[in-house]
Amino acid sequence: MGLPTAILLHSVTAWIFGLQIARSWWNTSLMAPLFVVSAVLSGTALVTLLALCAQRFGKVELSQETRKWLRGFIVISLFVDLFFVGADYITCCGQCPGRPLGTQPGSPWRTWAWLFWIEWIVGGVIPSPSCSSRV
């Protein structure tokens, strides 16, 4: 009951944002799956963090298999999330093919470019080495 409700909630929220004509980044069909994948990623990461804290204080014991499964799930969710965000950037940057790259709406080389690079470096590049086999 909870998972279908969460998917529905995130999809409806994405459709509400997608129907707003004031924001060029929001009117895309990728908003619903992006919201759902982002919620799965952040929720799994939060549950994992809380479980590791509980294990640290002796309340819960996580097996190596469980830790490995959670790490794999987070990694897959992270790369799917980054794929959707990247596809969204490519779509928004390709909306005005006749304009120079830095002047396109939604271009990662404009005023808010630092947010784009923080998301990709902090959210994607830094966690990537932790995808190794160590737990």
Side-chain angles (χ1 to χ4, degrees), residues 6-60:
I7 290 173
L8 183 64
L9 173 73
H10 285 86
S11 298
V12 170
T13 303
W15 293 328
I16 290 170
F17 283 144
L19 293 173
Q20 302 300 315
I21 59 172
R23 302 283 185 220
S24 63
W25 281 104
W26 291 354
N27 56 357
T28 175
S29 60
L30 287 178
M31 288 299 281
L34 179 62
F35 274 29
V36 171
V37 170
S38 296
V40 166
L41 173 61
S42 60
T44 306
L46 180 63
V47 167
T48 303
L49 182 65
L50 291 174
L52 291 174
C53 287
Q55 181 179 1
R56 172 100 169 124
F57 296 112
K59 304 289 184 192
V60 176

Side-chain angles (χ1 to χ4, degrees), residues 25 89 92-93 100-113 116:
W25 281 104
Y89 281 122
C92 287
C93 288
L101 186 61
T103 62
Q104 295 171 339
S107 173
W109 290 272
R110 289 188 63 159
T111 307
W112 296 99
F116 169 82

